[in-house]
Amino acid sequence: MSAFHDLAAQSYGGDEAGLICGYLFDTRAPEPARAIDSAQAAAWLAGQRNIEASEARAGCEGEDGQENPAYVWLHFNLSHAHAERWLVRHANLSDTFYETLHEGLPSTRIERDDDSLIAVINDVHFEFSFEPSDISTLWISVGPRLVVTARTKPLRSVDALRTAVKAGDAPRSSTELLEHLLRAQADVLVKIVRGVTSRIDRIEDELLAGRLDHKRARLGVLRRLLVRLQRLLAPEPAALFRLLQGPPGWMSEPDAQALRGSTEEFSVVLRDMQALQERIKLLQEEIAANVNEDNNRSLFVLTVVTVLALPINILAGLFGMNVGGIPLADHKHGFWIVVAIVATFTAVAAWAAFRKQR
């Protein structure tokens, strides 16, 4: 079983149902986090539905009031043809979740739908290369017994959470799993901010050393990346804060407090990103000013050369005409007289040009 999941994790393609990874969490069991495949997940979900139906007929409260109920986390690859079909058949998710899958809107939001939470968040690709296009959407459905995450491309935050679970991290509840995912997302953003900061530091050092090269283009790519991340991720803390004003009944108060803490951390990262945008903007303005200064200096040199060459060009044009009556044509010192005239006019033109420059 572990070999199957290792292969799925490496390929990021999932099994025959599009399940990339699945875990059964039960803190009362000898193995708090146990890897399961799509067949085991379907059997567990069917068993839970039978238990809930029996409890409903008996009028029992069930396990919702217990401190550490068991729950399942399933992570799907939506690029797989059978993933959504499997979810419809076995997961019993709300219609809102499937609507968010098909509406094609990447805007971040977290909302309550009856007894579950539906979230649409944005994350960077697993193979992130600091490009604005390296961002994709993650769809999440959170209930007391089932957490479903789905994506079309490998994402870093989910992979970090999966790695932590494989290392032995077993969140006590589905809400705590969501909180761990949001903190993993914040950690990924912190690494991105650090990476962008180091790149900006190198560009700034090269700018101060006078090696401009193509730094404006590189700064433009970094700024577009930060602007895109800011635009897509900025609504997340506010959406989570609104949700926590009226959380579902199965969410405990400690879990709600932990989510509030992750929201604050996320807000700090977003402020750091905004500060980086301002720093990049100032660097771009400084580089633009240096480029304009270099252009003005080059234009001045070209103007001076043109002015200095103007007298000799005029005289060469006049004396080069093959017509009668050219002055000094028969004078034995005519050449040196013309040279003196040209030198005099050139000196006057140079004096006038440099006087204006000063």
Side-chain angles (χ1 to χ4, degrees):
M1 181 64 63
S2 60
F4 167 81
H5 282 278
D6 289 340
L7 179 61
Q10 293 172 6
S11 64
Y12 289 98
D15 62 7
E16 67 276 1
L19 180 66
I20 300 171
C21 64
Y23 289 94
L24 172 61
F25 297 96
D26 189 352
T27 55
R28 300 164 299 182
E31 189 178 1
R34 180 168 62 89
I36 59 175
D37 59 17
S38 57
Q40 293 172 321
W44 189 89
L45 292 173
Q48 285 296 308
R49 286 194 294 271
N50 292 335
I51 293 174
E52 292 173 0
S54 300
E55 291 173 347
R57 287 194 297 269
C60 299
E61 183 181 355
E63 285 187 341
D64 285 346
Q66 295 185 14
E67 183 178 357
N68 295 316
Y71 70 97
V72 165
W73 171 39
L74 304 176
H75 181 49
F76 282 89
N77 177 16
L78 291 178
S79 298
H80 199 288
H82 299 288
E84 186 174 348
R85 195 178 310 165
W86 190 97
L87 288 172
V88 172
R89 183 180 304 171
H90 300 286
N92 195 27
L93 301 177
S94 67
D95 294 336
T96 304
F97 177 77
Y98 298 107
E99 291 174 1
T100 58
L101 290 181
H102 296 287
E103 64 185 4
L105 294 177
S107 58
T108 300
R109 57 194 182 277
I110 303 175
E111 56 190 22
R112 179 178 174 181
D113 184 62
D114 293 333
D115 200 34
S116 63
L117 303 180
I118 307 298
V120 179
I121 65 176
N122 292 276
D123 194 11
V124 298
H125 294 175
F126 184 78
E127 298 293 340
F128 181 67
S129 57
F130 290 90
E131 294 292 336
S133 59
D134 293 341
I135 304 173
S136 289
T137 304
L138 176 69
W139 293 269
I140 307 174
S141 174
V142 182
R145 294 290 181 272
L146 175 63
V147 178
V148 172
T149 56
R151 54 74 171 167
T152 56
K153 296 182 179 179
L155 302 176
R156 282 202 174 187
S157 298
V158 180
D159 184 76
L161 178 60
R162 181 184 60 84
T163 302
V165 171
K166 289 182 65 176
D169 186 7
R172 296 176 298 101
S173 64
S174 58
T175 307
E176 186 173 330
L177 180 71
L178 176 63
E179 181 257 334
H180 283 204
L181 176 60
L182 295 180
R183 289 189 184 275
Q185 185 188 25
D187 291 340
V188 169
L189 291 180
V190 168
K191 293 179 181 179
I192 292 175
V193 168
R194 290 174 180 171
V196 173
T197 301
S198 64
R199 290 170 180 241
I200 294 175
D201 290 340
R202 289 196 299 270
I203 293 175
E204 190 173 30
D205 291 339
E206 293 175 1
L207 172 63
L208 294 176
R211 300 189 300 270
L212 286 177
D213 197 14
H214 301 290
K215 306 304 181 297
R216 291 184 68 187
R218 288 161 54 186
L219 285 172
V221 171
L222 294 176
R223 187 178 179 186
R224 287 195 299 273
L225 169 65
L226 293 176
V227 168
R228 180 170 170 79
L229 285 173
Q230 184 86 15
R231 183 172 64 250
L232 291 176
L233 301 177
E236 188 169 322
L240 191 57
F241 180 79
R242 288 193 299 269
L243 170 68
L244 294 175
Q245 299 301 312
W250 48 266
M251 183 182 294
S252 65
E253 182 59 29
D255 288 342
Q257 290 294 340
L259 280 177
R260 292 188 183 96
S262 66
T263 302
E264 295 174 359
E265 292 182 6
F266 202 85
S267 300
V268 171
V269 177
L270 290 176
R271 286 197 294 269
D272 292 341
M273 292 173 58
Q274 188 172 5
L276 269 180
Q277 293 179 43
E278 293 298 324
R279 184 181 174 189
I280 292 176
K281 182 180 178 181
L282 291 176
L283 277 176
Q284 286 179 318
E285 292 176 352
E286 184 174 354
I287 292 175
N290 289 338
V291 171
N292 289 333
E293 184 177 351
D294 291 340
N295 290 338
N296 291 336
R297 188 180 300 112
S298 300
L299 183 61
F300 171 74
V301 172
L302 180 61
T303 302
V304 169
V305 171
T306 303
V307 170
L308 295 180
L310 185 61
I312 192 171
N313 287 332
I314 293 176
L315 289 178
L318 290 175
F319 283 91
M321 295 185 296
N322 294 322
V323 296
I326 296 178
L328 304 177
D330 298 326
H331 198 285
K332 65 178 181 177
H333 298 297
F335 172 77
W336 297 110
I337 294 174
V338 172
V339 170
I341 294 173
V342 170
T344 302
F345 277 102
T346 301
V348 172
W351 174 79
F354 285 106
R355 183 177 63 86
K356 292 182 179 179
Q357 177 66 16
R358 291 195 297 267

